[in-house]
Amino acid sequence: MKKLTGNINVGVFISGRGSNLKELIKYSKKNNTNWKIKLVISNKKEAKGLAYAKKNRIINYGIENMKPQFEKKALRHLKKNKINLLCLAGFMKILSKEFIKKSKFKIINIHPSLLPKYKGLNTHERAIKAGDKYAGSTVHYVTAKLDSGKKILQTKVKILKKDKPNSLANRVLKAEHIIYPKAVDIVCNKII
């Protein structure tokens, strides 16, 4: 990958409320980062996170097509906006091998578990059922294999005796808000 100078253009894929997106935007504005969020794409036109992107004058699209059409349109927007890094933030679709291969930029994801444990869904419920002492969150590079890319950052959250999946999920989400922007910093410093 060619080294860049100046601002790194970051794209974000979301599916819902966009709480990690909000934290990435806030962090990039508050800190002297070498990156900025230039584009937000959701696979749901009514995703609340799109409204937050609009409010912050960030180019945004809701594309509700099935996988091949979504990926084709999204890739066109990513290339048009010269995106150097794509962040998946609560994006509830698995990207195809073809999309990952055609992407000429890094792709990272935040996953609500201490990978390699609990890839996929229902991570908090699985951690509680297993009697784990800690849950957490991992930012990792996206590869064709689900939740298996190289780890960038990871944070632990203690599982309390009274925890239910929802209460644990809320605490893990707060931890995600802290580590995701830091992970973007790490990746962008490697791109420049």
Side-chain angles (χ1 to χ4, degrees), residues 3-130:
K3 294 278 183 188
L4 299 170
T5 56
N7 261 352
I8 293 168
N9 294 327
V10 175
V12 183
F13 278 7
I14 62 169
S15 290
R17 67 183 176 233
S19 72
N20 269 309
L21 168 66
K22 287 180 190 178
E23 294 305 318
L24 290 172
I25 293 168
K26 278 199 288 191
Y27 183 91
S28 69
K29 285 182 172 184
K30 191 171 70 178
N31 297 283
N32 188 20
T33 63
N34 59 2
W35 53 273
K36 65 175 180 180
I37 296 175
K38 188 170 182 184
L39 176 68
V40 176
I41 297 177
S42 176
N43 63 317
K44 295 182 178 177
K45 286 185 179 174
E46 302 305 314
K48 290 181 181 172
L50 289 175
Y52 196 77
K54 280 181 191 128
K55 183 180 164 190
N56 284 274
R57 295 187 180 95
I58 297 169
I59 301 163
N60 61 88
Y61 299 96
I63 306 170
E64 285 208 35
N65 301 41
M66 298 307 283
K67 190 183 267 186
Q69 292 89 351
F70 170 85
E71 289 186 350
K72 195 174 178 183
K73 286 181 180 180
L75 201 53
R76 201 166 51 237
H77 289 305
L78 291 162
K79 285 179 178 177
K80 182 182 170 190
N81 287 284
K82 297 179 171 61
I83 297 303
N84 311 112
L85 172 66
L86 175 59
C87 299
L88 308 183
F91 183 64
M92 300 307 288
K93 294 283 177 197
I94 297 170
L95 295 171
S96 71
K97 288 177 188 174
E98 291 75 29
F99 180 90
I100 294 165
K101 196 173 166 183
K102 285 179 184 174
S103 301
K104 302 294 182 209
F105 41 78
K106 299 273 185 207
I107 305 172
I108 64 173
N109 182 42
I110 188 152
H111 182 73
S113 81
L114 296 172
L115 290 174
K117 278 186 159 185
Y118 313 122
K119 297 173 184 179
L121 301 173
N122 306 315
T123 58
H124 308 300
E125 186 180 328
R126 290 157 64 197
I128 291 168
K129 274 187 181 172

Side-chain angles (χ1 to χ4, degrees), residues 124-126 128 163-170:
H124 308 300
E125 186 180 328
R126 290 157 64 197
I128 291 168
D163 265 329
K164 299 282 184 254
N166 278 352
S167 60
L168 180 57
N170 288 335

Side-chain angles (χ1 to χ4, degrees), residues 20 23 27 110 153 155 172-183:
N20 269 309
E23 294 305 318
Y27 183 91
I110 188 152
L153 269 183
T155 188
V172 169
L173 187 61
K174 285 179 185 169
E176 286 182 10
H177 292 165
I178 295 166
I179 70 162
Y180 209 2
K182 290 177 182 175

